Amino acid sequence: MLSTFEWTIAKRYLLPARSEAFIFLVAGISLVAVMLGVAALIIVMSVMNGFRAELLDRIVGLNGHALIQGYGGRLDNWEDLLKQARETEGVVSASPLIEQPLLGSYEGRVEAVLVRGNDADDIAGLNDKLVAGSVANIKPGNETIAIGSRLAQNLGARLGDRMTIINPQGRSTPFGTVPREISYQIGAIFEIGVYDFDKAFVIMPIKDAQTLLLTGDQIGMIEITTEDADSVGEILAPLAPKVGNRGIIADWRTINANLFEALAVERVAMFVVLSIIILVAVFNILSSLIMLVRSKTRDIAILRTMGASRRSLLKVFIFIGTVIGILGAIAGLGLGFIFLFFRQSVVNFVQFVTGQNLWDPSVRFLTELPSKTDPVEVTVIVVMAIVFSFLATLYPAMKAASTDPVQVLRYD
């Protein structure tokens, strides 16, 4: 803590006279640099955390935390395995699943689609993702399906239209294999928020999928949701011996390994790169304090002759530099949160001004810029800025404290 004398001197140096306006300008630039560095780190880390969380939530929301995939696309004795999966500790739900890439056609337009056969509970889970229609009529035998919003847009199909699903592996005839084509009514249009899903997925009851694919009572995989996505490997470890050589267990990290590993590497790289902004700001603090010490050398010498201790001068200059860092960190914290709150409006404004599409869902996977602020990360960023600012004050503060009044005032 500063004494009254030390506080008076520090306040005088924080608000210099007009003749020292340049030093004040450099100190102000240092504060702004710290603010921008802290804000940039908070914004980027929050966006990347949000991107990972949103991506995981939406991918897991449709695919579960793990899949038991049968070899050759067929899972033998799946009823017994499904029961064992549901009885595994830590498993919230397990359901049969069929997934097969096929072709979808509507009024001459053809798109590659990914047909998914789900049970009634999984289909009911689409309710909070619907943009049109209802899943109430998507029942076995009704020939009604739900499709992604981007797929509907690409095909030009609307709610209530009939879409044809084409299975190239149809029935054999004397004239060769005839593709199997079945017409389904579009009963619901959903939007997961992941572009690749919304442009390809066609969801129908599992019985209808088995009829379309001519698989009988067979399924291709079992979808599993656990209590904790990050602990899915440990939770499903007891189930691996029961699966045996019938298939493999692939969790969300394995299925999307390249994507999430790239996000992790990019996250670390961005943190390191953006931390350099704070380091630059710290060097500005260092230079402004050195300039202040040099301009106040005579004043410091007089204070020393009047009884000011080296410790007091050391505390004064450390306080000045640290206050600049603290004010910059607080301002950066506020700026970062304001930007995150209006992030989508900022993106839309920049797109409007530049005429460029900065957030193309086909490239970014998600339809909107996400954000998730981690209090621990924010605390680390703010503390890092303050600590760096404190370290930058040590050299000029020690230089001021070591001033020899005899040498300075010898010729005065």
Side-chain angles (χ1 to χ4, degrees):
M1 298 296 292
L2 298 181
S3 64
T4 304
F5 163 73
E6 294 164 350
W7 168 248
T8 302
I9 299 300
K11 184 170 65 174
R12 171 69 181 80
Y13 287 171
L14 273 171
L15 301 172
R18 179 173 301 184
S19 60
E20 299 158 343
F22 181 73
I23 298 175
F24 181 76
L25 175 63
V26 174
I29 293 174
S30 303
L31 188 150
V32 172
V34 173
M35 176 188 72
L36 293 177
V38 170
L41 267 175
I42 290 175
I43 292 168
V44 170
M45 299 308 293
S46 297
V47 168
M48 296 200 72
N49 288 339
F51 191 84
R52 181 185 183 277
E54 284 290 320
L55 201 58
L56 175 60
D57 181 62
R58 297 185 185 193
I59 288 175
V60 166
L62 200 63
N63 289 331
H65 295 158
L67 295 172
I68 302 177
Q69 298 174 319
Y71 293 121
R74 300 290 180 93
L75 193 60
D76 297 327
N77 300 321
W78 63 270
E79 294 92 343
D80 178 56
L81 191 57
L82 178 64
K83 180 181 178 182
Q84 292 174 333
R86 288 172 174 171
E87 292 174 351
T88 302
E89 185 176 356
V91 172
V92 175
S93 65
S95 57
L97 174 66
I98 293 177
E99 189 171 279
Q100 183 70 33
L102 298 175
L103 294 174
S105 173
Y106 174 73
E107 293 189 350
R109 296 184 182 181
V110 179
E111 291 284 338
V113 299
L114 193 62
V115 172
R116 289 172 60 96
N118 288 114
D119 64 9
D121 292 337
D122 287 338
I123 292 175
L126 289 174
N127 270 319
D128 58 345
K129 301 177 179 67
L130 293 181
V131 294
S134 170
V135 297
N137 292 326
I138 303 179
K139 297 178 180 179
N142 278 10
E143 295 186 347
T144 306
I145 58 175
I147 67 173
S149 58
R150 298 284 175 174
L151 177 59
Q153 180 180 336
N154 292 342
L155 289 173
R158 295 172 296 178
L159 192 68
D161 291 339
R162 298 195 71 85
M163 170 183 171
T164 301
I165 305 296
I166 305 170
N167 179 12
Q169 296 180 346
R171 297 185 181 277
S172 297
T173 70
F175 302 99
T177 301
V178 178
R180 184 173 176 80
E181 300 182 11
I182 299 181
S183 177
Y184 298 93
Q185 185 177 28
I186 300 174
I189 298 175
F190 60 86
E191 185 169 303
I192 303 298
V194 179
Y195 182 82
D196 286 356
F197 291 177
D198 292 335
K199 75 170 186 178
F201 276 0
V202 173
I203 295 178
M204 63 177 62
I206 194 167
K207 291 293 185 182
D208 290 354
Q210 289 171 335
T211 301
L212 172 65
L213 299 172
L214 303 173
T215 60
D217 194 39
Q218 291 292 319
I219 66 168
M221 58 191 75
I222 294 175
E223 180 185 66
I224 298 176
T225 303
T226 61
E227 294 176 347
D228 182 8
D230 292 322
S231 302
V232 63
E234 294 78 5
I235 292 173
L236 297 183
L239 189 60
K242 300 174 184 177
V243 176
N245 59 2
R246 286 182 287 178
I248 59 172
I249 299 178
D251 60 36
W252 62 270
R253 289 172 295 195
T254 304
I255 299 171
N256 306 281
N258 292 337
L259 177 60
F260 284 101
E261 285 178 8
L263 284 176
V265 172
E266 186 177 358
R267 186 168 171 269
V268 174
M270 293 299 293
F271 183 87
V272 173
V273 170
L274 292 175
S275 295
I276 296 175
I277 299 177
I278 296 180
L279 288 176
V280 171
V282 164
F283 280 112
N284 284 336
I285 294 175
L286 175 64
S287 62
S288 64
L289 286 179
I290 291 175
M291 293 171 62
L292 181 61
V293 170
R294 288 183 64 85
S295 69
K296 297 294 184 181
T297 299
R298 189 172 181 276
D299 293 356
I300 293 170
I302 294 173
L303 289 172
R304 291 281 288 117
T305 60
M306 294 176 61
S309 65
R310 295 179 185 273
R311 179 183 176 85
S312 292
L313 293 173
L314 189 71
K315 289 169 62 178
V316 166
F317 284 94
I318 288 178
F319 176 78
I320 292 172
T322 305
V323 164
I324 294 174
I326 292 174
L327 292 177
I330 294 174
L333 191 65
L335 178 62
F337 285 149
I338 291 173
F339 184 94
L340 290 173
F341 184 80
F342 295 104
R343 62 188 183 280
Q344 196 59 43
S345 299
V346 171
V347 171
N348 294 337
F349 175 75
V350 174
Q351 290 182 153
F352 175 77
V353 172
T354 62
Q356 300 295 320
N357 187 0
L358 302 180
W359 194 260
D360 186 356
S362 63
V363 177
R364 310 291 183 182
F365 289 98
L366 304 180
T367 53
E368 291 187 354
L369 181 67
S371 172
K372 181 181 180 182
T373 303
D374 184 349
V376 175
E377 279 186 352
V378 172
T379 302
V380 169
I381 292 169
V382 172
V383 170
M384 181 180 69
I386 295 174
V387 169
F388 283 174
S389 301
F390 168 77
L391 294 176
T393 65
L394 294 181
Y395 173 75
M398 289 188 291
K399 193 72 174 176
S402 62
T403 300
D404 186 353
V406 175
Q407 295 294 330
V408 175
L409 301 176
R410 175 178 293 178
Y411 301 107
D412 289 356

